Amino acid sequence: MRHFLFMFSAIFSTVFHAQKKPDLIPYPQSVTMQEGRFIIPETLILNDKLPKEETEYFKKRLGSGVKFQNSSKTEGIHLMYMPFPQPKIPIHPEEDKEKYTIDISPQKIFITSNTRQGYFLALQTLAQLFEEHKEDREIPALRIEDQPKFAWRGMHLDVCRHFFNVDEVKQYIDYLAMYKLNTFHWHLTDDQGWRIEIKKYPKLTQIGSKRKESMIGAYVDNTFDGKPYGPYFYTQEQIKDVIKYAQQRHITIVPEIEMPGHALAALSAYPELACTKGPFEAATKWGVFDDVFCPKEETFTFLENVLDEVIALFPSQYIHIGGDECPKTRWKECAHCQELIKKNNLKDEHGLQSYFIQRIEKYVNSKGRKIIGWDEILEGGLAPNAAVMSWTGVNGGIEAAKSSHFAVMTPGAYCYFDHYQGDPQSEPNAFGGFTPLDKVHSYNPIPAELNAEQAKYILGVQANLWTEYIMDFKQVQYMIFPRLMALSEVGWGTADPKNYKEFERRVISQFKVLDKMKVNYAKSIYNISGKVLPAGNGISYELNVSQDPKGIRYTTDGTEPSIHSQVYQGPIAVSKSLTVKSAYFEDGKLKSAVSSQEFKISKTTGKKITLEQQPSENYSFGGAFTLVDGIIGNIRQLGKTWLGFQGKDVVATIDLGQKTNFSEVYFNTLENKGSWIHLAKSAQIFVSDDGKAFKMIKEIGKDEIQNSKGKIKLNVGNQNAEYIKLKIENAGIIPAGNPGADSKAWLFVDEIGIN
């Protein structure tokens, strides 16, 4: 074990100032404020025996803000290294390798750590302190004792849907380093492109790294740009360069080679690896496709050869093998696959998936490495030594941990940064979902269902950036910032949802650093967010902003808000159909985007509603109340105005509060088969006077729903009831010939209204 000790000399300051918490992200485990201030000198003299790579990074990060001078002397220097003797009680290097302390007095700064990695993390903290006090050049005296809670603090980047060059990938790695993330998950192969050079199989990049065109706009538009995309890929020399760059920043790169699904780009180059003859081409649409790797010997030979080259390049302990979203359609129709199932006494095609993953795992283990995969690798039984990346929710991680397998938590509801981060109406086109900054910051990677022993198997947390709707690196920046800051604090273990506003303040203070770096971060934090609340027999609309709420101006007559519009003073009562437009003003100037929310009021609006089954966490914003909040869902934006149910029916009961006359019932359901979203199979409407005995008054089937294109408006005759119940039937299992065949369909529903 070694300790590093660093000392900065400075002008002595004895004046004690009232001190606020430093603007550090992630916030350290322990910060003790002390008397006095350290005055940043014009030139810091550094001992030339300091660890060079880490120190050079520190100097580069601070840029022209501070001058540095190296010295071989032992006296008169500001920054020095001093080894400490071995402690009598041995430490656990894996647990303590990222541990560090910083002591700042008015005279000097000491940093101690067990390893160069700990030293590097300490320098990130110190750099933030220098950046925060760039203008006043006075850092408060303090003591920091710090180390992360989780060993895996990761960010993922999909370079298959859209490609990012080496310099951009390096910038991405720098962002991770700035906020103490330590794992970069590089998604290198998918249906839309193969991005890694494999020397044994040159056609993977000659053919599989390009596609004839790309989908553009919202998925429901089904439009394409007509422009060839690629060839785009990384040579092995470029990958070695990126790995070295990451290692200098103490970041591990985990490569992902998708199998057995998401294989169209590979099959376009080597069609003999499929169950059918093809021909195949790299996908031009987003989504999931039926053609996957066929589990025959030549496929395993191919994948083992590919993995040989991948393992030779990447020194990471884990190799990510995907394993997600693998339709079983081709396997069901394949004579070889069916014979393989019988020969190995497998239960079904899910058992065949497990067979596939376990063969790959055995090979990877033979090379001294481990596999990690998305939680679908649990299908048919988990491979003996595999780790799980839990993305469909938390259940995959819970199942893995309870069976003594390691897991990384990355549930879509909290950790998918391709989701909207602000009001979808004022945000660029995104995949769907609604994952604002405060939601990311509220996440706890340890599921409540795990006991202390099981919780040890949770390696950490990761966020994912899928790039279907991310055309360039500026948009990458926009989607990860500032949410990456919230993720870093969750992974460090110091995120406290109760103190979110204090975190928000620190985020805003970090924006000046991003401005200096010319990062295109999202300013959604400045925009107004709206929340519908029940209010008496109706609803009210609550507006929130990160700044002074007195700066909010709003209108309800459809006009654009100005500095002369009504000042927001509290939730706005909404008793009739109208549109609320709002914006934030500061010093008489517009500082935010204009937020616009249309309300359609019916006799169900604001009433008590219960659901027999809850929506998926990814699409559950507002819970059941979303179905009676007066907002009609936008079919182009699956953000916060829809509830999504995978494989579940919607059974909603609305208490109208008293017997009410009505003759019309309306609701909407969606169809987007590429995303596994299907129209409802049927719908039934019931009424009751006591909430117990219900009578069906209307039923419609699949044809009527199809003909209406999901926009359901039904005449139910003259009714008078206190309760109304809707049962909207999910399409069930997706049939063959559709994306996601054999998987559970999604059912999306928005407002339920009566007139």
Side-chain angles (χ1 to χ4, degrees):
M1 177 193 75
R2 297 195 305 171
H3 289 255
F4 299 105
L5 170 66
F6 304 92
M7 180 177 70
F8 295 92
S9 296
I11 300 171
F12 181 79
S13 173
T14 58
V15 181
F16 175 71
H17 301 270
Q19 298 184 9
K20 68 176 180 65
K21 295 173 67 175
D23 295 333
L24 298 171
I25 297 178
Y27 202 75
Q29 299 292 345
S30 172
V31 178
T32 304
M33 306 304 293
Q34 298 174 345
E35 279 196 26
R37 301 223 164 201
F38 171 83
I39 308 302
I40 301 173
E42 289 187 8
T43 302
L44 295 174
I45 302 174
L46 313 179
N47 188 296
D48 61 6
K49 293 181 180 179
L50 297 175
K52 291 184 179 179
E53 288 182 350
E54 292 82 1
T55 305
E56 287 303 312
Y57 178 91
F58 175 68
K59 291 161 63 176
K60 182 179 178 182
R61 176 166 173 181
L62 292 186
S64 59
V66 180
K67 295 179 182 178
F68 297 91
Q69 181 180 334
N70 289 340
S71 174
S72 60
K73 297 179 181 179
T74 58
E75 296 181 0
I77 62 172
H78 298 127
L79 179 57
M80 64 183 350
Y81 154 71
M82 187 182 297
F84 274 70
Q86 286 274 10
K88 293 180 180 180
I89 302 175
I91 65 164
H92 303 286
E94 283 305 307
E95 296 177 11
D96 291 340
K97 66 181 181 181
E98 295 184 295
K99 184 176 182 179
Y100 70 90
T101 65
I102 300 177
D103 282 287
I104 301 178
S105 72
Q107 296 83 15
K108 51 197 170 188
I109 297 176
F110 287 94
I111 296 176
T112 61
S113 68
N114 294 319
T115 64
R116 291 176 65 151
Q117 185 174 359
Y119 164 53
F120 182 78
L121 293 173
L123 289 182
Q124 305 315 304
T125 301
L126 192 59
Q128 286 192 24
L129 289 170
F130 270 69
E131 289 161 347
E132 181 182 351
H133 296 280
K134 181 180 179 181
E135 299 301 325
D136 63 25
R137 301 187 74 85
E138 296 183 2
I139 299 176
L142 50 76
R143 175 174 172 80
I144 292 173
E145 298 176 77
D146 204 16
Q147 68 183 121
K149 180 176 181 179
F150 294 104
W152 186 303
R153 307 181 304 282
M155 273 296 301
H156 153 288
L157 180 63
D158 165 22
V159 296
C160 301
R161 278 49 177 251
H162 287 100
F163 181 79
F164 307 99
N165 64 39
V166 167
D167 287 341
E168 291 167 337
V169 171
K170 287 180 176 180
Q171 285 183 59
Y172 198 81
I173 290 169
D174 277 335
Y175 302 151
L176 273 59
M178 283 175 62
Y179 295 101
K180 300 189 177 78
L181 302 180
N182 64 1
T183 305
F184 172 43
H185 175 173
W186 206 354
H187 185 80
L188 291 165
T189 75
D190 215 302
D191 293 300
Q192 292 79 14
W194 185 283
R195 306 294 181 213
I196 175 172
E197 177 190 24
I198 301 298
K199 295 185 182 296
K200 192 174 184 68
Y201 300 106
K203 287 192 289 185
L204 285 171
T205 47
Q206 292 169 0
I207 298 172
S209 70
K210 55 188 177 182
R211 56 180 182 259
K212 67 180 182 183
E213 60 181 357
S214 302
M215 196 174 212
I216 55 173
Y219 195 99
V220 293
D221 295 339
N222 200 36
T223 56
F224 298 83
D225 61 9
K227 301 176 182 177
Y229 192 82
Y232 295 128
F233 64 94
Y234 307 101
T235 67
Q236 292 197 4
E237 288 306 308
Q238 287 175 320
I239 287 173
K240 290 175 184 177
D241 179 42
V242 172
I243 291 170
K244 181 180 178 181
Y245 190 86
Q247 288 174 328
Q248 290 169 346
R249 287 147 182 79
H250 296 276
I251 288 174
T252 299
I253 300 182
V254 175
E256 180 178 0
I257 308 298
E258 276 274 13
M259 61 185 84
H262 289 290
L264 268 179
L267 297 180
S268 70
Y270 296 95
E272 64 271 18
L273 304 178
C275 292
T276 61
K277 293 182 179 180
F280 307 103
E281 63 177 13
T284 58
K285 296 183 71 170
W286 320 132
V288 179
F289 303 91
D290 285 341
D291 288 299
V292 301
F293 284 122
C294 188
K296 48 193 176 184
E297 289 307 311
E298 59 190 295
T299 300
F300 288 113
T301 298
F302 166 83
L303 290 172
E304 288 169 3
N305 288 334
V306 167
L307 288 169
D308 282 347
E309 296 193 31
V310 170
I311 289 170
L313 285 169
F314 293 90
S316 56
Q317 178 185 16
Y318 285 100
I319 304 295
H320 203 299
I321 50 81
D324 62 313
E325 298 178 324
C326 178
K328 309 301 187 290
T329 304
R330 295 291 184 257
W331 289 359
K332 285 184 176 181
E333 300 166 349
C334 171
H336 168 78
C337 292
Q338 294 304 308
E339 180 60 31
L340 199 59
I341 290 172
K342 292 178 182 177
K343 179 181 176 181
N344 289 278
N345 296 315
L346 305 176
K347 184 178 180 180
D348 53 18
E349 289 75 22
H350 295 287
L352 187 56
Q353 163 119 345
S354 180
Y355 166 84
F356 193 113
I357 298 299
Q358 291 196 42
R359 274 199 61 166
I360 293 298
E361 187 201 38
K362 186 176 181 181
Y363 186 78
V364 171
N365 289 167
S366 75
K367 301 294 180 177
R369 307 296 183 87
K370 300 176 182 178
I371 69 165
I372 187 169
W374 305 109
D375 47 40
E376 287 94 330
I377 68 171
L378 290 160
E379 290 179 8
L382 187 57
N385 303 303
V388 171
M389 194 164 273
S390 189
W391 75 277
T392 58
V394 299
N395 289 337
I398 292 170
E399 183 179 340
K402 285 186 175 180
S403 58
S404 301
H405 284 262
F406 287 108
V408 174
M409 304 305 289
T410 179
Y414 296 90
C415 298
Y416 268 44
F417 287 2
D418 54 335
H419 289 180
Y420 289 101
Q421 58 191 311
D423 188 333
Q425 296 184 64
S426 57
E427 290 287 330
N429 195 35
F431 182 83
F434 183 60
T435 310
L437 183 68
D438 60 335
K439 188 171 185 180
V440 179
H441 191 254
S442 72
Y443 182 55
N444 180 358
I446 303 293
E449 294 86 344
L450 300 182
N451 61 37
E453 188 60 33
Q454 294 163 343
K456 295 177 182 178
Y457 288 95
I458 302 300
L459 288 173
V461 64
Q462 176 176 296
N464 302 317
L465 189 67
W466 304 99
T467 59
E468 289 93 335
Y469 301 97
I470 298 177
M471 309 294 286
D472 56 35
F473 195 68
K474 283 293 184 185
Q475 188 63 10
V476 167
Q477 295 172 334
Y478 185 92
M479 297 304 282
I480 67 172
F481 281 118
R483 289 185 287 191
L484 183 148
M485 300 181 197
L487 175 78
S488 77
E489 198 147 290
V490 168
W492 204 257
T494 54
D496 182 358
K498 296 191 297 296
N499 291 327
Y500 171 72
K501 280 298 180 181
E502 192 275 331
F503 168 73
E504 196 174 65
R505 178 192 65 76
R506 288 185 279 123
V507 166
I508 292 172
S509 76
Q510 289 285 314
F511 285 168
K512 64 181 181 290
V513 178
L514 300 184
D515 287 334
K516 179 184 174 184
M517 297 170 63
K518 297 182 179 180
V519 171
N520 180 41
Y521 58 91
K523 298 179 178 63
S524 315
I525 196 171
Y526 293 122
N527 291 340
I528 294 170
S529 61
K531 184 178 181 181
V532 183
L533 303 171
N537 289 323
I539 59 171
S540 63
Y541 191 45
E542 181 182 69
L543 302 178
N544 288 287
V545 68
S546 62
Q547 307 299 298
D548 183 357
K550 293 178 182 177
I552 298 175
R553 303 290 188 272
Y554 73 94
T555 65
T556 58
D557 59 2
T559 61
E560 295 296 296
S562 72
I563 190 62
H564 304 295
S565 299
Q566 193 162 350
V567 177
Y568 178 75
Q569 294 180 325
I572 304 162
V574 181
S575 58
K576 61 180 181 178
S577 296
L578 53 79
T579 299
V580 176
K581 292 189 176 183
S582 57
Y584 175 72
F585 292 81
E586 195 173 276
D587 298 327
K589 296 180 180 179
L590 179 66
K591 299 291 286 186
S592 73
V594 174
S595 174
S596 178
Q597 184 57 67
E598 182 179 357
F599 291 92
K600 181 180 179 180
I601 304 303
S602 86
K603 294 181 178 182
T604 61
T605 306
K607 299 299 189 291
K608 183 179 179 181
I609 180 171
T610 57
L611 291 171
E612 289 188 8
Q613 299 190 85
Q614 297 308 305
S616 165
E617 199 171 13
N618 286 10
Y619 299 96
S620 62
F621 183 83
F625 189 71
T626 299
L627 300 180
V628 291
D629 65 1
I631 299 174
I632 303 298
N634 186 332
I635 64 171
R636 295 168 57 83
Q637 297 171 331
L638 300 182
K640 61 181 185 177
T641 57
W642 294 86
L643 295 186
F645 302 78
Q646 188 174 25
K648 298 177 183 178
D649 298 335
V650 175
V651 183
T653 302
I654 302 171
D655 180 354
L656 300 172
Q658 61 184 9
K659 295 190 74 171
T660 304
N661 294 318
F662 64 94
S663 59
E664 180 185 78
V665 177
Y666 64 84
F667 67 91
N668 293 334
T669 177
L670 279 180
E671 181 172 66
N672 187 341
K673 291 183 177 178
S675 296
W676 305 10
I677 303 170
H678 289 247
L679 292 173
K681 191 175 182 180
S682 68
Q684 298 171 325
I685 302 170
F686 305 82
V687 293
S688 171
D689 290 334
D690 60 3
K692 297 177 182 178
F694 283 88
K695 177 181 70 174
M696 187 170 70
I697 59 170
K698 191 77 173 182
E699 182 174 19
I700 58 172
K702 184 177 181 179
D703 291 343
E704 193 169 350
I705 293 172
Q706 289 279 354
N707 292 337
S708 69
K709 296 183 179 179
K711 296 182 178 180
I712 314 300
K713 186 178 290 187
L714 301 172
N715 188 323
V716 295
N718 294 323
Q719 302 293 330
N720 180 259
E722 188 168 345
Y723 297 86
I724 179 171
K725 178 187 287 188
L726 268 72
K727 181 177 181 181
I728 306 170
E729 187 181 4
N730 189 292
I733 300 299
I734 299 173
N738 290 281
D742 295 326
S743 298
K744 296 175 181 178
W746 281 89
L747 170 63
F748 276 80
V749 177
D750 73 342
E751 193 75 0
I752 297 173
I754 64 172
N755 292 312

